[in-house]
Amino acid sequence: MSKMHLGWFAGASSALAGSVVLSAFYQRSNFYSAMVYLAQSNFCLLILLNFALIVYSSFLYSLTRLCFGRLRAVEIEQLTERAWFAITETCLAMTIFREEIGAWFLVMFTALVTGKVWGWIGDGRVEVLEQQPPANPRLFHLRLSISLAASFIYDVWLLRYTINTVIQQARPNMMVMFLFEFAVLATCSWRTGVRYLLSITEQNIVKSQTQKRLLERRREVREQRLAMLRQREQAEAAGEEPPANQEPLPNEDDVDEMDIEVPGWASKGEWVLWLDLITDMIKLGIYVAFFFMLLMFYGLLYISSEIYS
């Protein structure tokens, strides 16, 4: 859908939402009765829900542009594919709690998808950082560090909320599923943040090695230049004629960082391996705990019948 079509859709949705609200206040004498009318009308709820999603999507789009800039076509394609898979996976798991589907489920589901999309974008930007240096390093690192910190805080905050809700309700319901989902999401955000720190550490090590090797190389060029100058002075003192194809004097300013090769951080691969292993073990523990919780409260036969019914 093009930007023009999105603009028309947003404008029409805003006009419909405004007309619905004005109509409710025109037909009802006070605020309370107007709110009751809007809450009991399915058509009004549909219009207002559509408008709320547009406002939320616009806010999220603006926040994404602020923290990540313009997304590339490859990133948009990957996000679309992963989002459809995540939505299908969550809806399949939600069949066990389908009797509790309502407005609050839509709110939590939207919050979950938002956290996943935000985490995927951050993880993709960390991969880009590992492959090639950014054009504007200061702005890139400022945006990425803020977005990763916000993602982790967001996931931990919702995880804490779901834990408190489950403890207060003391019964298995849809919040249990969201608890485990946000636990996995917080784990992934933690992994992305640690991986970003490892990438920064690697860049600092490579930069330090490059500067050290650059100074050594320039010192070697200076020594070579001085040695050649002494040889020429000795040749002139001995009355020798300089050769026609005399080698030019080397200049230390000609040595560039691009010509320097350094070993880099050799142990980074081991750190990344351990990080992925720990993350996968934590996620496996979360999934196993969720599965056994479902078996304890519902049983395997009930779960199978709810999924395939």
Side-chain angles (χ1 to χ4, degrees):
M1 186 179 292
S2 63
K3 292 184 178 180
M4 184 179 66
H5 292 163
L6 287 175
W8 279 105
F9 179 72
S13 300
S14 302
L16 281 175
S19 62
V20 164
V21 173
L22 291 177
S23 175
F25 279 98
Y26 179 77
Q27 297 178 11
R28 298 296 184 271
S29 58
N30 53 53
F31 178 81
Y32 177 76
S33 59
M35 292 296 103
V36 172
Y37 170 76
L38 291 174
Q40 292 179 349
S41 174
N42 293 331
F43 177 75
C44 294
L45 286 177
L46 180 63
I47 296 298
L48 294 178
L49 178 61
N50 178 64
F51 178 71
L53 289 177
I54 290 177
V55 173
Y56 181 75
S57 300
S58 301
F59 169 74
L60 190 62
Y61 175 77
S62 303
L63 194 61
T64 304
R65 289 295 300 270
L66 178 64
C67 294
F68 295 106
R70 185 181 297 274
L71 297 180
R72 299 172 299 170
V74 178
E75 291 178 322
I76 296 176
E77 182 179 357
Q78 292 178 352
L79 288 176
T80 304
E81 294 178 357
R82 299 177 73 173
W84 278 115
F85 177 77
I87 291 173
T88 305
E89 182 184 32
T90 305
C91 291
L92 182 63
M94 196 59 206
T95 55
I96 304 174
F97 311 102
R98 59 186 176 185
E99 296 179 356
E100 303 179 20
I101 295 179
W104 191 242
F105 165 76
L106 294 178
V107 173
M108 295 300 298
F109 182 76
T110 304
L112 177 63
V113 174
T114 301
K116 287 187 175 183
V117 171
W118 195 267
W120 293 336
I121 298 176
D123 187 65
R125 290 302 170 91
V126 173
E127 291 182 358
V128 172
L129 176 64
E130 293 176 344
Q131 295 173 1
Q132 60 183 6
N136 190 346
R138 182 173 299 179
L139 179 61
F140 180 86
H141 287 290
L142 178 63
R143 283 177 165 179
L144 187 56
S145 58
I146 292 176
S147 62
L148 293 180
S151 176
F152 183 72
I153 294 173
Y154 174 84
D155 297 337
V156 171
W157 176 68
L158 285 175
L159 175 62
R160 182 180 178 183
Y161 168 76
T162 53
I163 291 175
N164 293 333
T165 304
V166 170
I167 293 176
Q168 291 176 2
Q169 295 178 354
R171 63 183 181 88
N173 54 13
M174 70 170 186
M175 295 303 295
V176 175
M177 183 195 70
F178 286 113
L179 186 153
F180 287 99
E181 288 283 357
F182 283 115
V184 173
L185 203 57
T187 304
C188 294
S189 298
W190 169 80
R191 172 192 173 275
T192 304
V194 176
R195 188 176 173 185
Y196 173 64
L197 294 178
L198 292 177
S199 299
I200 293 180
T201 303
E202 181 189 22
Q203 289 184 352
N204 292 333
I205 291 176
V206 171
K207 184 177 180 180
S208 176
Q209 292 177 349
T210 302
Q211 292 296 329
K212 182 179 179 181
R213 179 56 184 160
L214 182 63
L215 294 176
E216 293 177 354
R217 179 58 183 159
R218 286 180 175 177
R219 185 177 66 253
E220 293 174 358
V221 171
R222 284 197 303 268
E223 293 175 354
Q224 183 181 2
R225 179 186 177 90
L226 292 175
M228 293 177 65
L229 287 175
R230 284 195 297 267
Q231 291 178 0
R232 293 181 182 182
E233 290 176 356
Q234 293 175 1
E236 290 179 0
E240 298 179 0
E241 293 291 334
N245 55 349
Q246 189 176 21
E247 182 181 358
L249 294 175
N251 189 356
E252 61 176 303
D253 295 332
D254 295 337
V255 181
D256 190 48
E257 292 185 1
M258 301 299 296
D259 302 329
I260 303 298
E261 295 184 0
V262 293
W265 189 18
S267 59
K268 181 194 173 181
E270 182 179 354
W271 281 93
V272 173
L273 178 62
W274 279 106
L275 176 63
D276 292 339
L277 180 61
I278 293 174
T279 304
D280 291 339
M281 292 299 296
I282 294 175
K283 291 168 64 176
L284 177 62
I286 294 172
Y287 287 130
V288 170
F290 179 63
F291 178 74
F292 278 103
M293 187 276 301
L294 293 180
L295 286 181
M296 182 183 302
F297 288 100
Y298 294 97
L300 184 60
L301 182 61
Y302 175 81
I303 296 174
S304 302
S305 62
E306 288 294 314
I307 291 177
Y308 293 103
S309 60

